[in-house]
Amino acid sequence: MTLALPRTAPDQSPLAIRGLTVSYGEQPVVFSIDMTVQDGAMTAIIGPNGAGKSTLLKAALNIVKPLSGRITVYGQPLAQQAHRIAYVPQRASVDWDFPTEVLDVVLMGLYRDLGLLGRVRAHHIRQARDCLARVGMEDFADRQIGQLSGGQQQRVFLARALAQKADLYLLDEPFAGVDAATESAIIDVLKSLRAEGKTVVAVHHDLSTVRAYFDNVFLINRRKMGEGPIAAAFTPETVQATYGGRLADGQISQLTMGA
Amino acid sequence: MGDEFVILSLAPLLIGICAAVACALPGNFLLLRRQALIGDAISHVVLPGIVVAFLVTGRIAAWPMMLGAACAALVAVLLIETIRRLGRVDAGTAMGVIFTSMFAAGVLLLEQSDTSSVHLDVEHALYGNLESLIWLDATGWSSLLDPRALAGLPPELPRMALTLLAVSVAIRIFWRPLKLATFDEGFARTLGIPVQVLSLGLVVTAAIAAVAAFDAVGSIIVIAMFICPPAAARMMTNRLSAQICWSVAFATLSAILGYVLAGYGPLWLGGTDAVSAAGMIATVSGLILAGVAVIGPHRTA
Amino acid sequence: MLLDALLLQIGYNATLVTLGSAALGLAAGATGTFLFLRKRSLVADAVSHATLPGLALAFMLMVALGGDGRNLAGLMAGSALSAWIGLLSVSWLTRRTRLAEDAAIGAVLSVFFGFGIVLLTVVQTLSAGRQAGLESFLLGSTAGMLFSDAILIAAGGLLVLASALALRRPLLMVAFDPGFAETQGIDIHRMDLAIMTLVMAITVVGLKVVGLILIVALLIIPAATARFWSNRADRVVLLAGLFGGLSGYIGAAISATAPGLPTGPIIVLTGFAVFTASLLLAPGRGVLSAALRHRSHQRQVHLRQGLLALAQDQPVYEALTRRLLRRNGLQRADGVPTSEGHSRAAAALRDETRWQALRSSAHLSELSARDDGLTLILDVLTPDQIAELDRRIATAPGTA
Ligand SMILES: Nc1ncnc2c1ncn2[C@@H]1O[C@H](COP(=O)(O)OP(=O)(O)O)[C@@H](O)[C@H]1O
Ligand SMILES: [Mg+2]
């Protein structure tokens, strides 16, 4: 575990959020959130269903419009640094019936390199195939995207994110609904990203694997319920407060103490 | 295929093909974006557009009318989007509310204004008059090389050809972001692609194609070509570029077969008069679609 | 003049048309609501355009049999038949191929309409000299409406209305939650077909008055209008009937007052005017009230966040927050809180601390779901419970 990392100051943080409030209708679903993502670490965003985890990520990317709050990416406004972020949504807003193949989808991650009219050259194809290989999907390059299973689709979108060569990876429940093999393939990729010095933030719903997978946690239930390294912030008290009595006491201490 | 063909049929046939392909190209993206009926909406609101253009300029001239129609299409799309967002009304309903109301306004304006002296009526707007676009200055195939005769080509032909060229170029240039934003709008947004501008641009391109085609061939073909060739093409392949090629082929085939059947079909059946070419082109495109829906290799997901 | 028309004082024919239009509008509005709630409004457009071939074929058939060809009942039967085929085509394309419903609608609409135009040109050449007048079905025409036509339209409309109301329970259930409806033993496909049949019937009945291009407006606009005024499905049906009937009545009356005011378009535009007014002004879902609510909510959020920042001596980042604090007399221009600002900030912080404490309380933590940042704990807990929380806070400093 890379616990010894120095804490990142807000003005250098890959993602720093201050006073963020998002409402759907007249109901705040995320209220006055401050968050400072640590550079080069893996952070889990944890909270019960409907806690606003997805909304937090979407607002950080300006996909939903916040009511208030400031967001900086590597110390600068999002618009200037957007190219350094890759985002894998919980359920991609994708047209599954679209006439396109898996390799094509990964090539979309190279859009910034290719631009409007740039030709797709052999090295682009090679990059895309490499990314597919990293997630173990190289044999599916020619499949139509709608013909894959949910876990395979998830891996393809991770490959597309890899192709973006970003510095900050935001993933919304990358392990939801995938089988154990896919889960370990994905976590290996994420750990290799960290080894390359990239920053990973993932919404995570499985409390039992938090310790094994992540360095930091961010606990949220409409408000921030805790933030920091696993050892300090992922305690029975904070988890209990976050889940508000929805988990039994024994369950919590068992999960958060680690075996 | 003699001189008579060149004089009577060559120009309408080419105009029909250009119109069909110009509409089918953006139609592919509209289809994939579940906006197929935008074509329907656009072709309805063309009527108020040209009536207003006529009232403003006081004469029947192609360019102002095309401009008027394009503006009407833009206004319609913006209104649809506005009431969809602000009123939380579903897209189909929003379209239905706006295009019927604008069409009604067009009919009302037409009735209120004195257009008896000019050829401007609803039926013309619906069926166009492809058959009448003959090349009077031609004498035979050799006229194709005769500048004087070429100058006498119906103006609809160069206009339609230019439109087809413009539409093709626009789609080629914005191919990549269009494809990306159509497939995964959320991702396109995070890449910084101006998704809404692109979407509006697509609709405007479709509107330009619709308006130019409408001027020459009426609005039925427009709606049919926006939807039928791309829909049939989608069931032929799972690759976007191949789909586009198929749709162009189907559009061309519909235009040729439809025109020929309309002109000669009744004669073969012992009748004397030709039937509406626009209607027949739409019918043929429907038959193609029906055929592909039954035997197309990728007709089901 | 308009008043006379509205009071049905300007002649027999105008009265006939006005009453017929009102009945049609009422029936179309109520029926269209089911379609609207099912989010399939534009199927009506396919149905209405698909009437054209049947219209032309019925005409040809009646002429071939030596009849007049313009018999309204005969034309209605023909158009119903081809609309039915169009409907089946939409349903077949949607279910049996990968095409989405909107593509199926567009394809059927344009192809049937195109084929109808082909047949119309045939009719024109067949009836050389004699005016078939089928073009009037495109945009509708009420000139020279016969009493029997009016009766047919009104009776047909009311019959459809009665059927729609009889079926309203299962129809609404399917529209609201198809999955649940299925578990209740309702056959969704059959119900959809029932809606479509009613829509087809209305279309056929309304062709004469508003024409096949605009009939879809009578089905959709009243329902979309009514939706702004109620969240209850049965009320929406009633209101849509009301709005539809009113549009028909007023539109037809206006159209009767002067030449050059075609009935169909005027009815549609009347309906659109009511729609626009509702979109803007309706309480609840209307644009104006939603904008006002959003603004007040945004201010509430900023004020609350501003007060919390003041209480904790944190900088206030946003200009809007600072402006609100100043305007409410909570902060001076130089950024120092006023005395009222101090006390309200302290109150906000106290509220916040109590919410925090509530989360770790064994028997109150269930209530933490009500903490949305704006709800005051005073509105959620009894004074006794608050006192208990305050004791917890006092004994465990550092939770705040
Ligand atoms: N587009 C939306 N419109 C209205 N409410 C929404 C929308 N998206 C999410 N919500 C609501 O906001 C809350 C937070 O949602 P979300 O951020 O998806 O939670 P999480 O990802 O933590 O499960 C939920 O109560 C959800 O119902
Ligand atoms: Mg989520």
Side-chain angles (χ1 to χ4, degrees):
Chain A
M1 296 263 128
T2 50
L3 286 182
L5 277 178
R7 307 298 289 169
T8 311
D11 59 346
Q12 275 140 35
S13 163
L15 178 65
I17 296 173
R18 290 292 172 270
L20 180 80
T21 299
V22 185
S23 291
Y24 294 118
E26 273 77 52
Q27 183 65 228
V29 296
V30 155
F31 185 79
S32 199
I33 295 279
D34 294 342
M35 177 181 189
T36 310
V37 171
Q38 300 298 307
D39 199 8
M42 286 175 66
T43 303
I45 297 180
I46 291 169
N49 279 334
K53 305 178 294 292
S54 301
T55 304
L56 175 68
L57 284 189
K58 287 184 199 163
L61 289 160
N62 207 18
I63 295 171
V64 300
K65 214 172 138 27
L67 267 189
S68 70
R70 277 204 329 176
I71 290 148
T72 57
V73 176
Y74 292 102
Q76 284 166 13
L78 173 69
Q80 289 166 26
Q81 296 286 319
H83 61 276
R84 296 177 72 179
I85 305 181
Y87 166 59
V88 182
Q90 183 165 9
R91 177 77 181 153
S93 57
V94 159
D95 172 11
W96 297 109
D97 194 33
F98 194 85
T100 190
E101 291 163 359
V102 166
L103 188 69
D104 243 4
V105 175
V106 181
L107 278 171
M108 288 178 186
L110 295 172
Y111 178 77
R112 285 181 201 278
D113 293 351
L114 287 168
L116 270 190
L117 295 170
R119 283 181 59 95
V120 178
R121 298 187 185 282
H123 71 267
H124 292 123
I125 307 259
R126 212 160 43 239
Q127 272 180 43
R129 285 195 185 278
D130 284 349
C131 294
L132 272 179
R134 275 179 84 173
V135 299
M137 290 288 294
E138 64 273 43
D139 296 337
F140 295 83
D142 300 328
R143 291 281 195 94
Q144 204 248 331
I145 184 73
Q147 295 167 348
L148 302 183
S149 73
Q152 292 170 331
Q153 287 168 348
Q154 191 77 359
R155 283 198 259 172
V156 171
F157 288 108
L158 181 59
R160 181 176 71 179
L162 293 177
Q164 289 180 262
K165 295 190 291 286
D167 296 317
L168 170 61
Y169 287 80
L170 302 179
L171 305 103
D172 197 347
E173 306 224 6
F175 308 117
V178 305
D179 54 38
T182 306
E183 176 155 343
S184 77
I186 294 177
I187 195 65
D188 287 346
V189 171
L190 298 186
K191 286 188 170 167
S192 73
L193 284 173
R194 179 181 58 187
E196 293 166 27
K198 316 272 187 181
T199 307
V200 175
V201 178
V203 173
H204 192 57
H205 65 279
D206 182 2
L207 294 179
S208 66
T209 48
V210 171
R211 277 173 190 282
Y213 292 172
F214 294 93
D215 311 317
N216 296 312
V217 288
F218 183 89
L219 295 153
I220 178 174
N221 189 352
R222 199 168 320 184
R223 300 155 169 284
K224 169 163 121 181
M225 307 304 299
E227 180 182 26
I230 297 270
F234 191 59
T235 61
E237 294 73 39
T238 56
V239 173
Q240 172 75 58
T242 308
Y243 283 79
R246 286 196 229 176
L247 296 178
D249 282 340
Q251 207 179 351
I252 288 178
S253 53
Q254 193 186 349
L255 291 175
T256 52
M257 282 312 160
Chain B
M1 289 288 163
D3 298 342
E4 196 189 337
F5 170 81
V6 176
I7 300 170
L8 292 181
S9 296
L10 184 62
L13 206 48
L14 288 177
I15 292 171
I17 294 173
C18 290
V21 175
C23 292
L25 281 176
N28 279 293
F29 287 98
L30 292 177
L31 179 87
L32 292 172
R33 290 170 162 250
R34 309 273 185 278
Q35 289 187 321
L37 289 167
I38 281 278
D40 181 27
I42 290 174
S43 54
H44 279 88
V45 303
V46 158
L47 180 72
I50 57 175
V51 177
V52 168
F54 169 74
L55 292 178
V56 170
T57 61
R59 61 206 168 86
I60 300 277
W63 291 112
M65 289 203 171
M66 285 175 65
L67 191 67
C71 288
L74 197 59
V75 168
V77 169
L78 292 176
L79 283 178
I80 289 169
E81 201 52 23
T82 309
I83 66 167
R84 200 173 69 80
R85 293 253 172 97
L86 294 184
R88 287 178 282 165
V89 181
D90 70 287
T93 304
M95 263 187 240
V97 169
I98 293 300
F99 81 72
T100 53
S101 301
M102 286 181 71
F103 187 82
V107 175
L108 179 62
L109 275 179
L110 201 57
E111 294 276 331
Q112 288 284 302
S113 56
D114 178 25
T115 49
S116 51
S117 59
V118 294
H119 187 63
L120 187 68
D121 57 58
V122 173
E123 276 123 53
H124 171 68
L126 290 174
Y127 347 140
N129 53 346
L130 191 54
E131 302 85 346
S132 69
L133 302 174
I134 50 181
W135 189 9
L136 279 175
D137 295 6
T139 53
W141 286 105
S142 57
S143 301
L144 280 176
L145 300 171
D146 175 5
R148 290 245 310 285
L150 283 175
L153 271 173
E156 282 84 357
L157 180 54
R159 207 151 52 219
M160 205 59 242
L162 197 67
T163 309
L164 174 58
L165 184 72
V167 169
S168 315
V169 168
I171 292 210
R172 174 66 199 91
I173 292 181
F174 294 105
W175 170 265
R176 193 165 284 150
L178 253 182
K179 178 176 169 180
L180 224 162
T182 303
F183 172 60
D184 187 348
E185 181 177 318
F187 180 64
R189 221 184 277 269
T190 63
L191 284 178
I193 294 174
V195 178
Q196 275 168 355
V197 178
L198 202 64
S199 167
L200 205 61
L202 175 65
V203 172
V204 170
T205 310
I208 289 172
V211 169
F214 166 85
D215 172 50
V217 296
S219 60
I220 313 170
I221 296 193
V222 172
I223 314 177
M225 290 302 132
F226 269 133
I227 298 174
C228 294
R234 179 65 191 91
M235 295 189 278
M236 294 300 294
T237 170
N238 262 337
R239 294 177 51 90
L240 183 57
S241 43
Q243 178 189 329
I244 303 265
C245 296
W246 275 109
S247 72
V248 170
F250 286 144
T252 311
L253 188 66
S254 310
I256 297 174
L257 266 185
Y259 183 79
V260 171
L261 282 180
Y264 301 101
L267 305 184
W268 297 335
L269 292 177
T272 48
D273 296 282
V275 295
S276 161
M280 193 54 102
I281 293 176
T283 307
V284 171
S285 74
L287 293 177
I288 295 178
L289 176 65
V292 174
V294 176
I295 57 163
H298 295 279
R299 61 185 181 279
T300 53
Chain C
M1 184 72 179
L2 179 58
L3 193 65
D4 287 344
L6 286 174
L7 295 173
L8 304 176
Q9 303 291 311
I10 57 168
Y12 174 70
N13 195 267
T15 302
L16 215 53
V17 171
T18 309
L19 291 179
S21 303
L24 176 66
L26 173 69
T31 312
T33 309
F34 300 106
L35 200 61
F36 165 79
L37 291 176
R38 195 91 174 84
K39 297 204 172 24
R40 298 179 70 195
S41 298
L42 287 180
V43 177
D45 208 25
V47 170
S48 61
H49 283 75
T51 55
L52 192 58
L55 211 54
L57 284 174
F59 181 87
M60 287 196 265
L61 188 69
M62 286 191 284
V63 169
L65 293 176
D68 174 28
R70 276 175 294 185
N71 178 293
L72 187 58
L75 293 175
M76 278 184 177
S79 54
L81 191 65
S82 79
W84 184 248
I85 297 173
L87 203 51
L88 292 184
S89 311
V90 170
S91 150
W92 186 85
L93 280 173
T94 318
R95 281 148 54 101
R96 288 300 154 79
T97 73
R98 72 187 323 151
L99 295 182
E101 186 168 49
D102 68 328
I105 290 172
V108 165
L109 173 164
S110 57
V111 172
F112 274 67
F113 195 60
F115 184 56
I117 298 288
V118 169
L119 292 176
L120 272 194
T121 49
V122 174
V123 168
Q124 273 162 2
T125 54
L126 285 184
S127 62
R130 263 191 313 147
Q131 221 5 25
L134 287 186
E135 286 78 8
S136 72
F137 282 93
L138 292 179
L139 294 175
S141 147
T142 47
M145 186 148 84
L146 302 174
F147 181 69
S148 60
D149 294 349
I151 290 294
L152 194 57
I153 291 169
L158 294 179
L159 191 67
V160 175
L161 183 64
S163 326
L165 292 183
L167 283 175
R168 71 182 185 286
R169 283 233 174 74
L171 290 182
L172 286 178
M173 249 164 105
V174 169
F176 175 64
D177 185 351
F180 177 69
E182 198 148 34
T183 64
Q184 299 298 299
I186 298 176
D187 183 339
I188 297 182
H189 186 60
R190 285 249 303 273
M191 280 303 139
D192 270 343
L193 224 50
I195 301 180
M196 295 308 158
T197 308
L198 294 174
V199 163
M200 186 192 74
I202 280 291
T203 308
V204 167
V205 166
L207 278 186
K208 176 80 179 157
V209 179
V210 288
L212 62 86
I213 300 182
L214 290 179
I215 183 77
V216 58
L218 258 56
L219 286 159
I220 304 181
I221 296 181
T225 309
R227 183 68 188 84
F228 287 115
W229 295 91
S230 178
N231 284 325
R232 287 183 43 189
D234 48 351
R235 294 237 176 100
V236 175
V237 176
L238 283 182
L239 284 172
L242 182 72
F243 287 134
L246 273 179
S247 310
Y249 189 91
I250 297 175
I254 294 175
S255 137
T257 57
L261 296 175
T263 315
I266 295 288
I267 293 177
V268 173
L269 290 173
T270 308
F272 181 66
V274 181
F275 171 85
T276 310
S278 308
L279 168 71
L280 295 176
L281 302 176
R285 288 175 76 94
V287 170
L288 195 64
S289 90
L292 288 178
R293 271 202 318 273
H294 177 81
R295 210 170 84 124
S296 111
H297 174 67
Q298 182 170 32
R299 294 182 164 212
Q300 219 184 333
V301 165
H302 275 266
L303 211 51
R304 175 78 176 188
Q305 284 186 246
L307 285 173
L308 288 176
L310 287 188
Q312 292 164 312
D313 265 334
Q314 285 168 353
V316 178
Y317 297 112
E318 289 187 74
L320 175 60
T321 317
R322 284 195 295 271
R323 208 160 57 237
L324 284 172
L325 286 174
R326 270 207 303 282
R327 199 175 316 147
N328 285 288
L330 304 174
Q331 194 183 32
R332 297 199 320 235
D334 56 9
V336 177
T338 62
S339 61
E340 196 198 342
H342 271 303
S343 64
R344 281 189 53 188
L349 187 62
R350 192 159 55 243
D351 193 56
E352 200 80 350
T353 317
R354 285 169 174 164
W355 275 117
Q356 294 276 359
L358 175 135
R359 285 174 189 276
S360 46
S361 144
H363 59 286
L364 292 177
S365 63
E366 301 284 322
L367 287 168
S368 65
R370 297 199 46 190
D371 173 23
D372 59 8
L374 298 180
T375 307
L376 297 181
I377 207 158
L378 296 170
D379 299 335
V380 177
L381 298 186
T382 62
D384 288 348
Q385 290 170 319
I386 291 179
E388 182 201 322
L389 277 187
D390 286 345
R391 277 195 301 279
R392 283 173 70 90
I393 294 168
T395 54
T399 47

